[in-house]
Amino acid sequence: MLTELPARRALFVHAHPDDETIGSGSTMARYVAEGAHVTLVTCTLGELGEVLVPDLLGLGADRADQLGGYRLAELERAMHALGVTDFRLLGGIGRYRDSGMMGLETNADPRAFWQADLDAAATELVSVIREVRPQVVVTYDENGGYGHPDHIQAHRVAMRAVELAADPGHPGGEPWEVAKIYWTAFPKSVLAHGIDLLRSLGEDSPFGVVETVDDLPFGTPDELVTTQVDGSAHADAKHAALRAHATQIAVDGPFFALSNHLGREVLAREHFILVRGKRGPGNGESGWEDDLFAGLE
Protein backbone atom coordinates (compact mmCIF):
# COMPACT_ATOMS: atom_id res chain seq x y z
CA MET A 1 0.00 0.00 0.00
CA LEU A 2 1.35 3.39 -1.03
CA THR A 3 1.42 5.94 1.78
CA GLU A 4 2.38 8.94 -0.34
CA LEU A 5 1.51 9.47 -3.99
CA PRO A 6 3.87 11.33 -6.35
CA ALA A 7 2.31 13.99 -8.54
CA ARG A 8 2.42 11.87 -11.72
CA ARG A 9 1.36 8.22 -11.76
CA ALA A 10 1.12 5.74 -14.62
CA LEU A 11 -0.13 2.15 -14.67
CA PHE A 12 1.01 -0.29 -17.37
CA VAL A 13 -1.00 -3.50 -17.90
CA HIS A 14 0.79 -6.22 -19.86
CA ALA A 15 0.12 -9.89 -20.56
CA HIS A 16 3.45 -11.69 -19.99
CA PRO A 17 6.91 -10.90 -18.65
CA ASP A 18 8.90 -9.17 -21.45
CA ASP A 19 5.87 -7.51 -23.06
CA GLU A 20 6.36 -4.48 -20.85
CA THR A 21 9.96 -3.97 -21.98
CA ILE A 22 9.28 -4.51 -25.68
CA GLY A 23 6.37 -2.10 -25.92
CA SER A 24 7.01 0.45 -23.20
CA GLY A 25 10.38 -0.17 -21.52
CA SER A 26 12.07 3.12 -22.29
CA THR A 27 8.89 5.03 -21.48
CA MET A 28 8.69 3.38 -18.07
CA ALA A 29 12.37 4.10 -17.41
CA ARG A 30 11.98 7.73 -18.45
CA TYR A 31 9.08 8.40 -16.13
CA VAL A 32 10.74 6.66 -13.19
CA ALA A 33 13.82 8.85 -13.77
CA GLU A 34 11.60 11.93 -13.85
CA GLY A 35 10.08 11.08 -10.47
CA ALA A 36 6.73 9.65 -11.58
CA HIS A 37 5.32 6.58 -9.91
CA VAL A 38 5.23 3.71 -12.41
CA THR A 39 3.21 0.59 -11.66
CA LEU A 40 3.36 -2.55 -13.78
CA VAL A 41 0.69 -5.24 -13.59
CA THR A 42 1.56 -8.44 -15.48
CA CYS A 43 -1.36 -10.78 -16.05
CA THR A 44 0.41 -14.15 -16.40
CA LEU A 45 3.85 -15.68 -15.85
CA GLY A 46 4.19 -16.63 -19.53
CA GLU A 47 4.43 -20.34 -18.75
CA LEU A 48 3.90 -21.36 -22.38
CA GLY A 49 6.58 -19.18 -23.92
CA GLU A 50 9.25 -20.75 -26.09
CA VAL A 51 12.74 -21.03 -24.60
CA LEU A 52 15.70 -19.60 -26.52
CA VAL A 53 18.36 -20.87 -24.11
CA PRO A 54 19.20 -24.55 -24.89
CA ASP A 55 20.31 -25.30 -21.35
CA LEU A 56 16.92 -24.15 -20.04
CA LEU A 57 14.67 -26.13 -22.39
CA GLY A 58 13.77 -28.42 -19.50
CA LEU A 59 11.80 -25.57 -17.92
CA GLY A 60 9.23 -25.66 -20.72
CA ALA A 61 5.56 -26.57 -20.29
CA ASP A 62 6.15 -29.86 -22.14
CA ARG A 63 8.83 -30.87 -19.61
CA ALA A 64 9.15 -29.62 -16.02
CA ASP A 65 6.65 -26.79 -16.54
CA GLN A 66 8.76 -24.43 -14.42
CA LEU A 67 9.21 -21.64 -16.94
CA GLY A 68 6.78 -19.32 -15.18
CA GLY A 69 8.87 -19.08 -12.04
CA TYR A 70 12.00 -18.50 -14.07
CA ARG A 71 10.33 -15.75 -16.08
CA LEU A 72 9.23 -14.08 -12.86
CA ALA A 73 12.90 -13.83 -11.89
CA GLU A 74 13.64 -12.40 -15.34
CA LEU A 75 10.88 -9.84 -14.82
CA GLU A 76 12.40 -8.81 -11.50
CA ARG A 77 15.78 -8.27 -13.15
CA ALA A 78 14.19 -6.31 -16.00
CA MET A 79 12.34 -4.04 -13.60
CA HIS A 80 15.56 -3.43 -11.70
CA ALA A 81 17.14 -2.34 -15.00
CA LEU A 82 14.27 0.06 -15.71
CA GLY A 83 14.12 1.37 -12.15
CA VAL A 84 10.54 0.19 -11.60
CA THR A 85 9.94 -0.87 -8.00
CA ASP A 86 6.16 -1.35 -8.10
CA PHE A 87 5.42 -4.43 -10.20
CA ARG A 88 2.74 -7.00 -9.51
CA LEU A 89 1.07 -10.12 -10.88
CA LEU A 90 -2.66 -9.75 -11.46
CA GLY A 91 -4.38 -11.51 -8.58
CA GLY A 92 -1.04 -12.70 -7.20
CA ILE A 93 1.62 -15.13 -8.44
CA GLY A 94 0.12 -17.95 -10.48
CA ARG A 95 -3.48 -16.70 -10.37
CA TYR A 96 -3.78 -16.73 -14.17
CA ARG A 97 -1.90 -19.03 -16.52
CA ASP A 98 -0.52 -18.28 -19.99
CA SER A 99 -3.14 -19.27 -22.58
CA GLY A 100 -0.76 -19.93 -25.47
CA MET A 101 -1.27 -18.70 -29.00
CA MET A 102 -4.79 -18.36 -30.40
CA GLY A 103 -6.37 -21.66 -31.43
CA LEU A 104 -4.24 -23.94 -29.27
CA GLU A 105 -5.84 -26.44 -26.88
CA THR A 106 -4.25 -24.55 -24.02
CA ASN A 107 -6.75 -21.72 -24.60
CA ALA A 108 -9.38 -23.97 -23.01
CA ASP A 109 -7.41 -24.67 -19.82
CA PRO A 110 -9.65 -23.46 -16.95
CA ARG A 111 -6.54 -21.86 -15.42
CA ALA A 112 -5.82 -19.90 -18.61
CA PHE A 113 -6.17 -16.13 -18.53
CA TRP A 114 -8.30 -16.40 -21.67
CA GLN A 115 -10.88 -18.28 -19.57
CA ALA A 116 -10.88 -15.78 -16.71
CA ASP A 117 -14.16 -14.19 -15.69
CA LEU A 118 -13.85 -10.62 -16.96
CA ASP A 119 -15.36 -8.82 -13.99
CA ALA A 120 -13.50 -10.98 -11.48
CA ALA A 121 -10.16 -10.30 -13.16
CA ALA A 122 -11.00 -6.61 -13.60
CA THR A 123 -11.85 -6.34 -9.90
CA GLU A 124 -8.34 -7.56 -9.08
CA LEU A 125 -7.03 -4.62 -11.13
CA VAL A 126 -9.53 -2.17 -9.63
CA SER A 127 -7.84 -2.59 -6.26
CA VAL A 128 -4.52 -1.55 -7.82
CA ILE A 129 -6.06 1.43 -9.63
CA ARG A 130 -7.73 2.70 -6.47
CA GLU A 131 -4.50 2.28 -4.52
CA VAL A 132 -2.05 3.99 -6.88
CA ARG A 133 -4.62 6.35 -8.47
CA PRO A 134 -2.95 6.67 -11.88
CA GLN A 135 -3.76 9.54 -14.18
CA VAL A 136 -2.58 7.39 -17.10
CA VAL A 137 -3.24 3.72 -17.93
CA VAL A 138 -1.41 1.95 -20.77
CA THR A 139 -2.44 -1.39 -22.27
CA TYR A 140 -3.07 -2.97 -25.72
CA ASP A 141 -5.64 -2.36 -28.44
CA GLU A 142 -8.70 -4.60 -28.95
CA ASN A 143 -6.63 -7.14 -30.88
CA GLY A 144 -3.91 -7.21 -28.27
CA GLY A 145 -1.47 -5.87 -30.83
CA TYR A 146 -1.19 -9.13 -32.76
CA GLY A 147 -4.04 -11.41 -31.69
CA HIS A 148 -2.61 -13.29 -28.71
CA PRO A 149 -5.46 -14.32 -26.39
CA ASP A 150 -3.71 -13.03 -23.27
CA HIS A 151 -3.05 -9.66 -24.88
CA ILE A 152 -6.69 -9.38 -25.92
CA GLN A 153 -7.79 -10.35 -22.42
CA ALA A 154 -5.38 -7.87 -20.85
CA HIS A 155 -6.99 -5.16 -22.99
CA ARG A 156 -10.47 -6.22 -21.90
CA VAL A 157 -9.54 -6.44 -18.23
CA ALA A 158 -7.77 -3.08 -18.20
CA MET A 159 -10.62 -1.27 -19.94
CA ARG A 160 -13.23 -2.86 -17.68
CA ALA A 161 -11.18 -2.13 -14.57
CA VAL A 162 -10.93 1.56 -15.45
CA GLU A 163 -14.71 1.64 -15.76
CA LEU A 164 -15.30 -0.19 -12.47
CA ALA A 165 -12.69 1.83 -10.56
CA ALA A 166 -14.64 5.02 -11.27
CA ASP A 167 -17.95 3.50 -10.19
CA PRO A 168 -18.84 4.55 -6.62
CA GLY A 169 -21.11 1.52 -6.44
CA HIS A 170 -18.25 -0.93 -6.97
CA PRO A 171 -16.90 -2.16 -3.63
CA GLY A 172 -13.36 -1.84 -2.37
CA GLY A 173 -11.72 1.54 -1.84
CA GLU A 174 -12.45 5.07 -2.94
CA PRO A 175 -13.48 5.52 -6.59
CA TRP A 176 -10.84 6.81 -8.98
CA GLU A 177 -11.31 8.09 -12.53
CA VAL A 178 -8.37 7.62 -14.88
CA ALA A 179 -7.76 10.74 -16.98
CA LYS A 180 -6.05 9.18 -20.02
CA ILE A 181 -5.93 5.67 -21.52
CA TYR A 182 -3.35 4.69 -24.11
CA TRP A 183 -2.87 1.61 -26.25
CA THR A 184 0.64 0.62 -27.29
CA ALA A 185 1.42 1.04 -30.98
CA PHE A 186 4.10 0.11 -33.53
CA PRO A 187 3.75 2.60 -36.42
CA LYS A 188 4.06 0.95 -39.82
CA SER A 189 6.47 3.64 -41.00
CA VAL A 190 8.81 2.84 -38.11
CA LEU A 191 8.59 -0.91 -38.74
CA ALA A 192 9.26 -0.36 -42.44
CA HIS A 193 12.34 1.66 -41.55
CA GLY A 194 13.49 -1.22 -39.35
CA ILE A 195 13.09 -3.69 -42.21
CA ASP A 196 15.09 -1.45 -44.54
CA LEU A 197 17.80 -0.93 -41.95
CA LEU A 198 18.17 -4.65 -41.28
CA ARG A 199 18.40 -5.35 -45.00
CA SER A 200 21.09 -2.70 -45.32
CA LEU A 201 23.07 -4.73 -42.78
CA GLY A 202 22.94 -7.75 -45.08
CA GLU A 203 19.78 -9.52 -43.95
CA ASP A 204 18.05 -10.98 -47.02
CA SER A 205 14.76 -11.59 -45.21
CA PRO A 206 14.83 -9.93 -41.81
CA PHE A 207 11.32 -11.04 -40.90
CA GLY A 208 11.45 -14.64 -42.07
CA VAL A 209 8.96 -15.07 -44.90
CA VAL A 210 7.70 -11.49 -44.45
CA GLU A 211 8.82 -9.17 -47.22
CA THR A 212 6.89 -5.96 -46.49
CA VAL A 213 5.53 -4.29 -43.39
CA ASP A 214 1.96 -5.01 -44.51
CA ASP A 215 2.68 -8.74 -44.20
CA LEU A 216 3.47 -8.47 -40.50
CA PRO A 217 0.87 -9.66 -37.95
CA PHE A 218 1.24 -6.34 -36.14
CA GLY A 219 1.73 -2.70 -37.04
CA THR A 220 -0.31 0.45 -36.51
CA PRO A 221 -1.29 2.78 -39.37
CA ASP A 222 0.54 6.04 -38.73
CA GLU A 223 -2.66 8.07 -38.84
CA LEU A 224 -3.91 6.26 -35.70
CA VAL A 225 -0.82 7.05 -33.65
CA THR A 226 -1.20 10.04 -31.32
CA THR A 227 1.87 9.96 -29.12
CA GLN A 228 5.61 9.37 -29.28
CA VAL A 229 7.57 9.24 -26.03
CA ASP A 230 11.27 9.83 -26.48
CA GLY A 231 13.10 7.50 -24.14
CA SER A 232 16.40 7.61 -26.00
CA ALA A 233 18.18 8.80 -22.84
CA HIS A 234 17.16 5.46 -21.33
CA ALA A 235 18.03 3.18 -24.25
CA ASP A 236 20.69 1.42 -22.20
CA ALA A 237 18.13 0.63 -19.52
CA LYS A 238 15.80 -0.85 -22.12
CA HIS A 239 18.60 -2.95 -23.61
CA ALA A 240 19.49 -4.25 -20.14
CA ALA A 241 15.85 -5.09 -19.48
CA LEU A 242 15.58 -6.92 -22.80
CA ARG A 243 18.67 -8.95 -21.93
CA ALA A 244 17.10 -9.83 -18.58
CA HIS A 245 14.35 -11.69 -20.47
CA ALA A 246 16.94 -14.11 -21.83
CA THR A 247 14.62 -17.10 -22.26
CA GLN A 248 12.46 -15.10 -24.67
CA ILE A 249 14.62 -12.44 -26.32
CA ALA A 250 18.00 -12.57 -28.03
CA VAL A 251 19.51 -9.10 -28.22
CA ASP A 252 21.92 -8.39 -31.07
CA GLY A 253 23.20 -4.83 -31.20
CA PRO A 254 20.35 -2.41 -31.94
CA PHE A 255 17.96 -5.24 -32.81
CA PHE A 256 16.38 -8.13 -31.04
CA ALA A 257 14.76 -11.37 -32.15
CA LEU A 258 11.76 -12.79 -30.34
CA SER A 259 11.22 -16.50 -29.85
CA ASN A 260 8.88 -16.49 -32.87
CA HIS A 261 11.96 -15.49 -34.94
CA LEU A 262 10.65 -12.10 -35.98
CA GLY A 263 13.20 -9.33 -35.74
CA ARG A 264 12.41 -5.80 -34.64
CA GLU A 265 14.42 -2.67 -34.20
CA VAL A 266 14.83 -1.94 -30.52
CA LEU A 267 12.99 1.33 -30.23
CA ALA A 268 13.90 3.90 -27.63
CA ARG A 269 11.10 6.09 -28.98
CA GLU A 270 7.85 4.33 -28.17
CA HIS A 271 4.43 5.01 -29.61
CA PHE A 272 0.89 5.00 -28.31
CA ILE A 273 -2.72 5.67 -29.26
CA LEU A 274 -4.74 7.93 -26.98
CA VAL A 275 -8.23 6.42 -26.68
CA ARG A 276 -9.56 8.30 -23.67
CA GLY A 277 -8.85 11.77 -22.35
CA LYS A 278 -7.85 15.12 -23.74
CA ARG A 279 -5.01 15.11 -26.25
CA GLY A 280 -2.11 17.34 -25.33
CA PRO A 281 -0.23 19.67 -27.67
CA GLY A 282 1.59 18.03 -30.58
CA ASN A 283 5.19 18.51 -31.59
CA GLY A 284 7.28 17.99 -34.72
CA GLU A 285 6.15 17.13 -38.22
CA SER A 286 3.83 14.36 -37.05
CA GLY A 287 1.99 16.52 -34.55
CA TRP A 288 2.15 13.69 -32.03
CA GLU A 289 2.10 14.27 -28.29
CA ASP A 290 5.49 13.77 -26.69
CA ASP A 291 4.31 13.01 -23.16
CA LEU A 292 1.68 10.60 -21.79
CA PHE A 293 0.84 13.25 -19.19
CA ALA A 294 0.46 16.01 -21.78
CA GLY A 295 -2.46 18.28 -21.00
CA LEU A 296 -2.77 17.10 -17.40
CA GLU A 297 -0.37 19.51 -15.73
Side-chain angles (χ1 to χ4, degrees):
M1 178 69 67
L2 295 177
T3 57
E4 185 175 346
L5 295 173
R8 297 193 301 170
R9 304 172 300 278
L11 169 64
F12 294 76
V13 181
H14 284 282
H16 316 102
D18 80 1
D19 291 326
E20 80 295 325
T21 301
I22 294 169
S24 53
S26 62
T27 297
M28 295 167 70
R30 169 181 160 174
Y31 286 124
V32 168
E34 291 179 354
H37 185 85
V38 172
T39 301
L40 168 67
V41 173
T42 305
C43 297
T44 81
L45 289 171
E47 296 92 339
L48 299 183
E50 298 178 51
V51 179
L52 287 178
V53 182
D55 289 346
L56 298 178
L57 288 174
L59 295 172
D62 58 340
R63 299 190 186 182
D65 196 15
Q66 297 297 311
L67 181 59
Y70 197 91
R71 292 188 71 179
L72 177 57
E74 292 183 331
L75 178 63
E76 291 171 347
R77 290 192 290 272
M79 292 304 95
H80 178 74
L82 298 179
V84 176
T85 58
D86 185 8
F87 54 96
R88 317 170 185 209
L89 273 296
L90 183 67
I93 297 174
R95 175 65 179 86
Y96 299 109
R97 183 173 172 84
D98 188 344
S99 306
M101 297 298 289
M102 188 67 81
L104 296 180
E105 292 181 1
T106 52
N107 297 172
D109 187 329
R111 300 170 296 169
F113 188 44
W114 186 238
Q115 295 297 323
D117 178 83
L118 179 59
D119 276 4
T123 294
E124 300 279 8
L125 188 57
V126 166
S127 64
V128 179
I129 293 174
R130 288 180 170 180
E131 176 191 346
V132 303
R133 303 169 79 83
Q135 296 102 335
V136 171
V137 168
V138 178
T139 189
Y140 312 108
D141 63 19
E142 306 100 318
N143 192 44
Y146 69 104
H148 192 294
D150 291 336
H151 286 239
I152 295 171
Q153 189 76 318
H155 160 85
R156 293 173 178 172
V157 168
M159 299 302 289
R160 180 63 171 150
V162 167
E163 177 185 353
L164 293 177
D167 181 0
H170 191 76
E174 292 295 320
W176 177 256
E177 186 166 351
V178 173
K180 300 178 82 173
I181 301 175
Y182 289 94
W183 297 341
T184 55
F186 293 95
K188 289 196 170 186
S189 63
V190 176
L191 292 171
H193 172 69
I195 292 174
D196 292 342
L197 186 55
L198 281 171
R199 284 185 175 141
S200 74
L201 296 175
E203 295 287 345
D204 293 332
S205 183
F207 291 93
V209 298
V210 177
E211 297 299 333
T212 70
V213 69
D214 290 329
D215 295 326
L216 290 170
F218 54 88
T220 308
D222 283 41
E223 60 269 21
L224 298 181
V225 176
T226 62
T227 311
Q228 176 181 267
V229 177
D230 186 355
S232 56
H234 307 281
D236 288 347
K238 178 165 181 172
H239 275 249
L242 287 168
R243 291 188 180 95
H245 291 294
T247 61
Q248 304 298 300
I249 302 172
V251 177
D252 181 14
F255 305 100
F256 66 94
L258 301 179
S259 56
N260 59 8
H261 304 302
L262 289 177
R264 289 188 195 165
E265 187 176 1
V266 176
L267 303 175
R269 293 176 177 84
E270 293 167 340
H271 300 85
F272 305 89
I273 304 168
L274 177 66
V275 295
R276 172 175 169 173
K278 182 179 179 181
R279 184 168 175 172
N283 294 282
E285 294 181 4
S286 65
W288 291 336
E289 292 180 313
D290 61 6
D291 184 0
L292 299 183
F293 295 93
L296 297 182
E297 299 175 322

